[in-house]
């Protein structure tokens, strides 16, 4: 079996002049698509978590920018560039932590700036969005291969959140490494944290792995340190939403605790992310904006209130946390692998990409 046979789900598709997003809030019960025909619809889908995962929201935003240009050209003709500014701003604000979103919009704006005012910008910007999408698919494959090569045969891995086809354009980042390592016969055991409160691990990662025929054991997030202590895990493999210039990593809440437990139990810690996730403008983890969502996400589960109702019971619901670079053993990107990432290693990787 090859890794490519483990790559069937598509979170986003461009069809019939619109962006179709697999509604990830409804998985695994229902496979329903939301059709977005303009940029505000894409911005709303990102904010509401119809589409989620750093690379996937970057790709969605790129298509959203192409849709913004289409609307602006239809309504304002040669004034399209200025007319699409509000739509771009709404896309930029749809979620704050994953830098892939801002990166994709900056790329689309740079392409838009090259286009003549008097011509319909839609075909060129749509082609750019397709390129962003296709490059992510290719990056996933390269990361999968290099990350899997670091894993010794017979290993156990633990992952967190969802970093697979649902979170990217293709095979996935951390899950791409796991898929490739499984296809290579290197993995004995795959574990996934359920990932409260949105349950991306239980609902999405387990769904993707089950579809691939890769056995997975789910665990409550709080069980991870005990699992590491048991000796069943050799690698924790996670994705990232933003990597600061010094190598600090923002990822799904709970990642920092995994990194601490991994260091204590001599389990290796791998971060897998495309170069677009590296933000050289953000000096360190302290400067990464961390999204906080509503209290009801923690006070409820599966649509049912689990905490006592009434005054005095609130919640703290940061969506991401920051793992200091010193706890990361290896960063895998499509441009190469950085062992013990730090400011120097990150700067070298960024410079190599031109
Ligand atoms: O809130 P989410 O589901 O968008 O968070 C996703 C994650 O934290 C992923 O680990 C990260 O985006 C990397 S996905 C390849």
């Amino acid at each position: 079996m090859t890794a490519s046979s483990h790559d069937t789900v598509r979170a986003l598709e461009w069809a019939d002049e619109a962006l179709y997003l697999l509604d990830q809030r409804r998985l695994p019960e229902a496979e329903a698509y939301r059709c977005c025909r303009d940029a505000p619809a894409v911005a709303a889908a990102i904010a509401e978590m119809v589409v989620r995962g750093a690379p996937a929201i970057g790709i969605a935003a790129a298509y959203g920018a192409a849709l913004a240009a289409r609307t602006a050209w239809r309504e304002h003709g040669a004034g399209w560039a200025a007319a699409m500014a509000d739509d771009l701003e709404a896309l930029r604000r749809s979620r704050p932590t994953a830098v892939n979103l801002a990166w994709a919009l900056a790329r689309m704006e740079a392409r838009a700036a090259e286009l003549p005012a008097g011509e319909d910008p839609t075909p060129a910007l749509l082609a750019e969005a397709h390129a962003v999408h296709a490059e992510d698919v290719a990056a996933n494959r390269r990361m999968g291969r290099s990350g899997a090569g670091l894993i010794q045969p017979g290993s156990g891995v633990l992952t967190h959140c969802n970093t697979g086809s649902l979170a990217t354009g293709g095979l996935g980042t951390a899950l791409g490494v796991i898929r490739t390592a499984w296809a290579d016969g290197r993995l004995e055991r795959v574990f996934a944290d359920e990932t409260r409160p949105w349950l991306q691990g239980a609902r999405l990662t387990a769904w993707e792995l089950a579809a691939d025929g890769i056995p997975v054991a789910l665990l409550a997030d709080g069980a991870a340190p005990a699992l590491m202590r048991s000796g069943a895990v050799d690698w924790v493999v996670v994705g990232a939403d933003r990597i600061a210039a010094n190598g600090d990593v923002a990822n799904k809440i709970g990642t920092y605790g995994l990194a601490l437990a991994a260091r204590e139990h001599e389990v290796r810690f791998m971060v897998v992310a495309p170069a677009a996730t590296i933000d050289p403008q953000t000096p360190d983890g302290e400067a990464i904006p961390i999204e906080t969502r509503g209290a009801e996400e923690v006070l409820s589960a599966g649509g049912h209130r689990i905490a006592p109702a009434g005054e005095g019971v609130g919640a703290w619901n940061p969506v991401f946390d920051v793992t200091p670079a010193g706890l990361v053993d290896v960063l895998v990107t499509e441009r190469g692998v950085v062992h013990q990432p730090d400011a120097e290693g990150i700067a070298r990787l960024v410079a190599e990409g031109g």
Side-chain angles (χ1 to χ4, degrees):
M1 199 178 284
T2 64
S4 61
S5 64
H6 293 146
D7 186 12
T8 51
V9 176
R10 285 289 168 267
L12 324 93
E13 270 187 77
W14 180 264
D16 305 328
E17 320 240 312
L19 179 64
Y20 285 82
L21 299 171
L22 180 55
D23 189 341
Q24 301 190 28
R25 300 163 313 168
R26 300 186 59 191
L27 289 169
E29 283 86 15
E31 286 178 46
Y33 282 82
R34 183 187 280 195
C35 174
C36 301
R37 295 199 180 275
D38 57 25
V42 177
I46 295 171
E48 292 164 20
M49 309 263 293
V50 170
V51 60
R52 31 70 46 206
I57 64 178
I59 297 164
Y63 284 115
L67 289 169
R70 183 172 76 184
T71 306
W73 171 257
R74 283 177 183 165
E75 293 177 3
H76 300 274
W80 62 265
M84 65 190 274
D86 285 353
D87 275 354
L88 293 180
E89 192 50 28
L91 286 165
R92 194 170 290 116
R93 287 182 183 194
S94 55
R95 285 193 81 190
T97 302
V99 77
N100 309 59
L101 191 152
W103 169 87
L105 289 173
R107 177 167 162 172
M108 297 299 288
E109 281 178 299
R111 182 71 187 106
E114 295 168 354
L115 302 175
E119 277 175 31
D120 180 359
T122 316
L125 290 181
L126 192 53
E128 193 69 11
H130 283 313
V132 167
H133 196 165
E135 287 167 28
D136 190 60
V137 174
N140 285 185
R141 293 203 175 282
R142 281 201 290 278
M143 292 185 285
R145 185 60 32 235
S146 356
L150 298 169
I151 295 174
Q152 291 304 309
S155 291
V157 295
L158 168 64
T159 192
H160 190 62
C161 195
N162 172 268
T163 61
S165 307
L166 293 167
T168 64
L171 193 62
T173 57
L175 208 63
V177 167
I178 290 171
R179 285 177 151 131
T180 309
W182 177 267
D184 287 354
R186 291 171 186 269
L187 296 185
E188 292 275 311
R189 299 166 298 280
V190 178
F191 297 95
D193 288 335
E194 62 171 356
T195 320
R196 273 279 292 156
W198 273 79
L199 302 174
Q200 289 94 331
R203 294 189 304 105
L204 309 178
T205 299
W207 183 72
E208 286 197 43
L209 291 174
D212 286 357
I214 301 175
V216 58
L218 279 170
L219 52 142
D221 298 350
L227 178 73
M228 291 188 221
R229 188 175 185 153
S230 78
V233 176
D234 301 285
W235 282 92
V236 173
V237 187
V238 294
D241 287 84
R242 190 183 300 223
I243 299 171
N246 73 341
D248 289 352
V249 174
N251 191 49
K252 179 54 55 195
I253 189 75
T255 304
Y256 175 39
L258 293 177
L260 288 169
R263 186 54 56 95
E264 173 69 18
H265 296 294
E266 298 183 4
V267 168
R268 304 198 68 201
F269 192 86
M270 183 191 299
V271 174
V272 188
T277 308
I278 298 172
D279 179 10
Q281 312 307 322
T282 298
D284 55 33
E286 286 290 305
I288 298 177
I290 298 293
E291 176 182 7
T292 303
R293 297 183 70 94
E296 68 287 353
E297 292 182 357
V298 174
L299 300 175
S300 302
H304 300 287
R305 175 101 185 178
I306 52 172
E311 303 259 317
V313 179
W316 181 58
N317 188 20
V319 180
F320 303 100
D321 59 22
V322 174
T323 297
L327 293 176
V328 178
D329 289 301
V330 62
L331 167 64
V332 174
T333 77
E334 78 280 24
R335 289 187 191 166
V337 166
V338 186
H339 293 274
Q340 275 81 48
D342 57 8
E344 225 172 85
I346 297 288
R348 213 175 310 121
L349 190 80
V350 170
E352 275 165 17

